[in-house]
Amino acid sequence: MSYDLIVIGTGPGGYVCAIKAAQLGLKVAVVEKNKTFGGTCLNIGCIPSKALLHASEMFEQANHNFEKLGIKTSKPKVDWKAMQAHKDSVINGNVSGIEYLFKKNKIEAHIGLGRVLAAGKVEVQAEDGSTTILETKNIVIATGSDVMPLPGIEIDEKTIVSSTGALELEKVPSRLLVVGAGVIGLELGSVYARLGSKVTVVEFMDKILGPMDADVSKQFQRMLKKQGLQFKLSSKVTGAVKKGKTLEVTVEPAAGEAAAETIETDVVLVAIGRRPYTSGLGLAEAGVALDDRGRVVTDAHYKTNVDGIYAIGDVIAGPMLAHKAEDEGVAVAEILAGQAGHVNYEVIPGVVYTAPEVASVGKTEEELKAAGIKYKAGKFPFSANGRAKAMLETDGFVKVLADAETDRVLGVHIVGFGAGEMIHEACVLMEFGGSSEDLGRTCHAHPTMSEAVKEAALATFAKPIHM
Ligand code: FAD
Ligand code: NAI
């Protein structure tokens, strides 16, 4: 069988690349080792975690906020099995959607482990061990990432879990210890805190959500503390021992081994990052270069050092985000079809889907300072926003950072209800090189949370009206 393009991996990078390439007239096949399409994102990542985040947030609202809005209900209860069933049906709906899209776009799907034999040749090994060799003009590697292990801690996906096990625990644990205050730790930590677990988060650095703007990180930590999450910053987990049904976890200061303490817990979630997944792909034999972190090295057009072999998504450098992988999938498909594919890495939003949400695009204040760029900052709190008051969602703020000389917006950071939706007006503005004055002079509907974005922009180049 011969194709214009074979994509290995059907996560958001791979499936989007395949669809776009087929839309542009290429003859496309995908190879996927899992039984379902959609990769980490649809099966064990973005989608199932958001299903649980939403369901647990609804429980939290019913439990604590309905009464403040004048709604009386009997005390809500968690039906964990039903919540899991909701999550599973959301996964199924999404993965079968990809199957439909492959058929619609005449993309041939081969289920099995893909291995690059050489440029133009991919071997697919089916579950029964049989192999097929496919021929193609181009190969795109989109094999994604896998859980980063923590030395000394063995993940069994039952009581010591990665995000994968944390999405399907048998029951809501009384105590959960999370290693890593990154996106996974805080999202899944929030889920279980809302459902009644006592959650302790151990983080190596002295702040949560490391790369986020420090202002946002501080405010967000305060909010999570109010929700019951406990934090041990500048600390590391060095061991976990099972004692009956309890796990004894050793926590040490990040700086040294002195004063280790033991924390008892029922479940440990290891969430210290992810690493590129290239196992079994045969890249060394095919001569494809990896960097010192195991990522496939590409040029600006996603081409590896071997002609005809490209790579995108979590398996290459850059933020490990589904939308970054998708955009790279589109770009490489366009390049292979003779067009000018491109991703603007300056404008890739990041969203943490907790309650409230955290959203960010562009540079943080710390990055601007480090780069010696002079900037103006404008901030507006949701406590001064009418819609936020009506919804009892007044926690948080919007911060706009603009170049001191040109007023071009360089970064926008939001912590608050709906931040993950609001951030996109900042993305569009930044794509067009817009200024804080452009944003502040754009008419925003009233009453909306987005008015806080406009007010923060006003605070950057002039003065906000409602503060
Ligand atoms: P993947 O989605 O990892 O897909 C790779 C695919 O390749 C897999 O299906 C795998 O089976 C297949 N594969 C690997 N090797 C082979 C082989 N040799 N042969 C055949 N097939 C192979 N990102 C966001 O932007 N928003 C979120 O809300 C978000 N939430 C997340 C929550 C969790 C719990 C996790 C773990 C991740 C989350 N992410 C989120 C990150 C997101 O899932 C990844 O960035 C994204 O899935 C990367 O896409 P990808 O296509 O590069 O790889
Ligand atoms: P992460 O990189 O976001 O956070 C890992 C955290 O663990 C860091 O704060 C790090 O300092 C800390 N850490 C590392 N080693 C440690 C140790 N030994 N002890 C204590 N703390 C330690 O990684 P995470 O949360 O595992 O997520 C993986 C990837 O998945 C991320 O790149 C993220 O982009 C993506 N993701 C995105 C989501 C979103 O966009 N909403 C949701 C979930 C995951």
Side-chain angles (χ1 to χ4, degrees), residues 8-15 31-34 36-47 49-50 112-115 142-146 163-164 167 183-184 187-188 274 277-281 312-315 319-325 351 353:
I8 307 180
T10 64
Y15 85 72
V31 181
E32 172 55 60
K33 71 180 172 59
N34 281 353
T36 53
F37 304 124
T40 303
C41 176
L42 271 62
N43 293 280
I44 50 165
C46 325
I47 297 299
S49 60
K50 267 78 250 179
L113 185 71
R115 190 158 69 96
T143 50
S145 62
D146 197 6
S163 53
T164 307
L167 290 168
V183 203
I184 291 182
E187 286 190 354
L188 293 177
R274 292 178 64 81
Y277 186 83
T278 52
S279 164
L281 253 181
I312 54 167
D314 279 11
V315 81
M320 287 183 167
L321 295 171
H323 41 285
K324 176 256 191 192
V351 178
Y353 298 86

Side-chain angles (χ1 to χ4, degrees), residues 50 150 179-185 187 202-205 207 209-210 235-237 271-274 319-321 323 351-353:
K50 267 78 250 179
L150 178 57
V179 194
V183 203
I184 291 182
E187 286 190 354
V202 179
E203 165 58 47
F204 192 81
M205 288 168 62
K207 69 190 272 254
L209 285 181
S235 302
K236 60 183 178 193
V237 166
I272 59 164
R274 292 178 64 81
M320 287 183 167
L321 295 171
H323 41 285
V351 178
V352 188
Y353 298 86

Side-chain angles (χ1 to χ4, degrees), residues 100-427:
Y100 160 79
L101 289 172
F102 282 165
K103 280 192 188 128
K104 183 178 166 203
N105 288 286
K106 303 194 169 41
I107 294 164
E108 289 179 26
H110 300 267
I111 297 292
L113 185 71
R115 190 158 69 96
V116 180
L117 298 179
K121 267 197 174 53
V122 174
E123 180 196 79
V124 184
Q125 186 179 40
E127 214 178 19
D128 62 8
S130 62
T131 56
T132 314
I133 291 177
L134 309 174
E135 299 207 341
T136 178
K137 289 186 188 134
N138 292 292
I139 298 168
V140 169
I141 298 164
T143 50
S145 62
D146 197 6
V147 175
M148 178 93 76
L150 178 57
I153 311 274
E154 204 177 316
I155 292 174
D156 60 14
E157 298 296 13
K158 294 273 178 237
T159 55
I160 301 183
V161 296
S162 69
S163 53
T164 307
L167 290 168
E168 49 183 26
L169 291 178
E170 271 172 24
K171 59 177 186 170
V172 175
S174 306
R175 298 166 298 181
L176 171 68
L177 186 138
V178 178
V179 194
V183 203
I184 291 182
L186 298 181
E187 286 190 354
L188 293 177
S190 293
V191 165
Y192 286 102
R194 291 171 195 156
L195 300 179
S197 305
K198 181 174 172 286
V199 177
T200 307
V201 184
V202 179
E203 165 58 47
F204 192 81
M205 288 168 62
D206 60 0
K207 69 190 272 254
I208 67 168
L209 285 181
M212 283 272 181
D213 191 276
D215 238 4
V216 170
S217 163
K218 263 188 232 144
Q219 166 92 355
F220 187 48
Q221 191 183 343
R222 275 197 293 271
M223 291 168 168
L224 292 176
K225 261 183 157 170
K226 267 210 279 183
Q227 295 173 20
L229 279 86
Q230 291 181 359
F231 291 95
K232 281 203 158 293
L233 302 184
S234 307
S235 302
K236 60 183 178 193
V237 166
T238 52
V241 182
K242 277 185 197 159
K243 288 267 167 74
K245 285 194 172 166
T246 297
L247 285 163
E248 290 187 351
V249 180
T250 314
V251 179
E252 294 179 13
E257 285 183 11
E261 66 170 309
T262 304
I263 301 179
E264 292 195 345
T265 188
D266 304 305
V267 171
V268 174
L269 163 58
V270 178
I272 59 164
R274 292 178 64 81
R275 57 183 184 183
Y277 186 83
T278 52
S279 164
L281 253 181
L283 295 187
E285 295 85 335
V288 175
L290 304 182
D291 68 13
D292 55 356
R293 290 164 67 181
R295 301 176 295 197
V296 178
V297 179
T298 67
D299 64 14
H301 295 111
Y302 309 102
K303 194 176 88 57
T304 68
N305 59 316
V306 178
D307 283 348
I309 305 183
Y310 297 76
I312 54 167
D314 279 11
V315 81
I316 69 168
M320 287 183 167
L321 295 171
H323 41 285
K324 176 256 191 192
E326 287 187 34
D327 283 11
E328 289 176 345
V330 170
V332 78
E334 288 173 335
I335 289 166
L336 293 175
Q339 299 182 356
H342 172 71
V343 176
N344 178 5
Y345 290 96
E346 298 298 312
V347 186
I348 296 196
V351 178
V352 188
Y353 298 86
T354 43
E357 290 177 346
V358 181
S360 165
V361 61
K363 300 277 186 260
T364 63
E365 268 197 83
E366 293 70 36
E367 284 171 335
L368 292 175
K369 276 182 196 146
I373 297 170
K374 291 212 168 61
Y375 64 93
K376 304 172 287 181
K379 214 167 154 182
F380 191 82
F382 285 111
S383 55
N385 174 279
R387 181 69 181 279
K389 285 183 192 163
M391 298 194 304
L392 301 181
E393 294 288 357
T394 51
D395 272 352
F397 60 79
V398 181
K399 179 156 105 175
V400 174
L401 303 171
D403 188 285
E405 267 173 40
T406 64
D407 192 34
R408 184 181 178 141
V409 171
L410 303 173
V412 175
H413 307 278
I414 310 176
V415 53
F417 179 86
E421 301 294 337
M422 280 183 277
I423 197 69
H424 294 103
E425 69 167 309
C427 296

Side-chain angles (χ1 to χ4, degrees), residues 407 409 429 432-444 457 461:
D407 192 34
V409 171
L429 180 93
F432 285 88
S435 64
S436 76
E437 185 167 356
D438 290 327
L439 187 51
R441 288 188 186 278
T442 301
C443 187
H444 282 62
F461 81 93

